[in-house]
Amino acid sequence: MFRRLLFTTLLSFLLIACSDTPGPTQWRFALEEIQGSVQDAYAQRFKARVEALSQGRIQVIIYPYGTLGTSAQITEQVRSGAIQFAFASPGHLGAVIPETQLFSLHFLFSDDDEVNRRMLKSSPTLYGPLAEAYREKGLALMSVVPEGWMVWTGNRPLRTPEDFRGFKMRTMVSPLLVEAYKAYGASPTPMPYSEVYSGLQLNLIDGQVNPVFAIEEMSFHEVQTTMIFPRHLPFVATVIANPAFVAGLAPEERAMLAELKEELDDYIFEVQERYNRERLEKIRGAADVEMVTLAPAQRAVFRRASEPVRERYVELAGERGGRILEAFIAERTALEHAGKSD
Ligand code: 6CS
């Protein structure tokens, strides 16, 4: 009797397990940043909206930095289709897609944040020829996302290129970033994000560069005495997806992603501004960090020193890279002039 009951129970468990009541489709989204970051805010909102709009048919699983490996490994997982979505910072992707190193060129963006917001949201150059370069390397470019102006940190102020002499500046791993800091006379030291804190602590590097929110959440300010605000480059990340996955989506799912891109672009612009503002206050309250804002004349010296790096970009990114750079500058200039005549 007991044996028959056990058999029937096991059989019903097996039938339930094998029944074809479908569970939700899972979309995996990997981050290059930890929980509480700008990328996390983007992915959390993406998850909430996708799950609501699909009425639970799609479930989004978020993998914060540290769960799936370095930026390069995450990108590879998107390319292979193991995960569907990820953030990929051009600062790490440049060795694979040289054209994306456009976002590593200092003093290329406008001083006007509204111009930059509009460029990143809908520039025909970024979503045209740059997206084509991503496609050729097996990645779909879904969006280009701002994360805030980059700030240098060190144990001394960096006000002139002379201050950079012999300075071991940690950079992300794209080749052009190395050139960018060599142009100031520094000794650039590329390394993954996860090694920066210990690198600073052990004096393997003298400084690093990142937006304020990241400096705070990665605790870099605890092992540095000085934050320098040069407004030379906003941190830009790209959202990538597996192209075969995107091509296989139903038309209404693709339409949902296109709509969400617009919505999330506006959302994340506001979030990154708030996170950078709030965390600067947090750093001021928690640590005795010297804050140095470069004056226009000091920025002009760095701007001049950075100019030859544009030629290097064209050498690395080729003819299409050259066209992307020219078109980007033309678009930016047109938006700046339009803004002045409003
Ligand atoms: O410095 C880095 O490597 C990282 N910084 C930020 C703000 N996001 C991701 C990236 O890997």
Side-chain angles (χ1 to χ4, degrees), residues 156 161-169 184-187 206:
R156 61 175 194 243
E162 286 71 47
D163 294 333
F164 266 108
R165 206 162 291 150
F167 188 89
K168 283 179 268 154
M169 182 61 142
Y184 299 154
S187 304
D206 299 318

Side-chain angles (χ1 to χ4, degrees), residues 32-33 39 71 89 92 147 170 172 191-193 209-211 213-214 235:
E32 300 173 290
E33 293 170 4
Q39 292 186 4
S71 292
S89 298
H92 289 295
E147 299 198 18
R170 178 270 171 174
M172 292 178 274
M191 64 170 62
Y193 200 30
V209 47
N210 256 306
F213 85 87
F235 187 97

Side-chain angles (χ1 to χ4, degrees), residues 106-107 150-154 158-160 164 167 169 181 184 207-210 215 224 226-230 232 292 294 302:
H106 295 186
F107 300 100
M150 306 263 264
V151 174
W152 297 328
T153 68
L158 299 162
R159 293 191 177 92
T160 65
F164 266 108
F167 188 89
M169 182 61 142
Y181 284 95
Y184 299 154
Q208 63 83 47
V209 47
N210 256 306
I215 293 169
Q224 299 270 263
T226 314
M227 286 171 71
I228 302 105
F229 295 73
H232 64 306
V292 176
L294 296 194
F302 282 108

Side-chain angles (χ1 to χ4, degrees), residues 178-245:
V178 171
E179 305 284 340
Y181 284 95
K182 267 192 192 158
Y184 299 154
S187 304
T189 312
M191 64 170 62
Y193 200 30
S194 52
E195 292 170 23
V196 178
Y197 184 89
S198 57
L200 292 169
Q201 216 175 21
L202 300 172
N203 296 321
L204 296 174
I205 45 176
D206 299 318
Q208 63 83 47
V209 47
N210 256 306
V212 173
F213 85 87
I215 293 169
E216 193 277 329
E217 72 188 13
M218 298 300 279
S219 305
F220 299 152
H221 62 291
E222 290 175 2
V223 283
Q224 299 270 263
T225 63
T226 314
M227 286 171 71
I228 302 105
F229 295 73
R231 264 179 101 85
H232 64 306
L233 182 67
F235 187 97
V236 168
T238 55
V239 181
I240 54 169
N242 177 274
F245 158 77

Side-chain angles (χ1 to χ4, degrees), residues 67-85:
T67 52
L68 293 182
T70 62
S71 292
Q73 288 163 335
I74 292 170
T75 299
E76 212 30 64
Q77 287 157 19
V78 174
R79 216 202 313 241
S80 73
I83 51 178
Q84 288 74 36
F85 297 93

Side-chain angles (χ1 to χ4, degrees), residues 41-159:
Y42 184 102
Q44 295 293 349
R45 177 61 75 101
F46 177 85
K47 173 183 168 66
R49 297 291 288 129
V50 167
E51 291 180 357
L53 290 168
S54 71
Q55 296 175 327
R57 280 180 300 101
I58 302 169
Q59 182 190 18
V60 177
I61 304 170
I62 299 170
Y63 295 89
Y65 191 58
T67 52
L68 293 182
T70 62
S71 292
Q73 288 163 335
I74 292 170
T75 299
E76 212 30 64
Q77 287 157 19
V78 174
R79 216 202 313 241
S80 73
I83 51 178
Q84 288 74 36
F85 297 93
F87 271 98
S89 298
H92 289 295
L93 203 52
V96 182
I97 306 173
E99 291 89 339
T100 199
Q101 297 181 107
L102 178 83
F103 301 115
S104 300
L105 289 172
H106 295 186
F107 300 100
L108 175 68
F109 276 86
S110 178
D111 281 339
D112 182 341
D113 284 329
E114 179 54 18
V115 168
N116 297 333
R117 186 187 73 76
R118 289 166 67 175
M119 294 282 292
L120 297 184
K121 186 173 177 181
S122 51
S123 151
T125 305
L126 302 184
Y127 294 99
L130 184 68
E132 189 184 289
Y134 273 63
R135 246 189 327 272
E136 283 172 14
K137 294 291 158 56
L139 297 169
L141 175 64
M142 307 302 281
S143 193
V144 188
V145 174
E147 299 198 18
W149 288 95
M150 306 263 264
V151 174
W152 297 328
T153 68
N155 286 335
R156 61 175 194 243
L158 299 162
R159 293 191 177 92

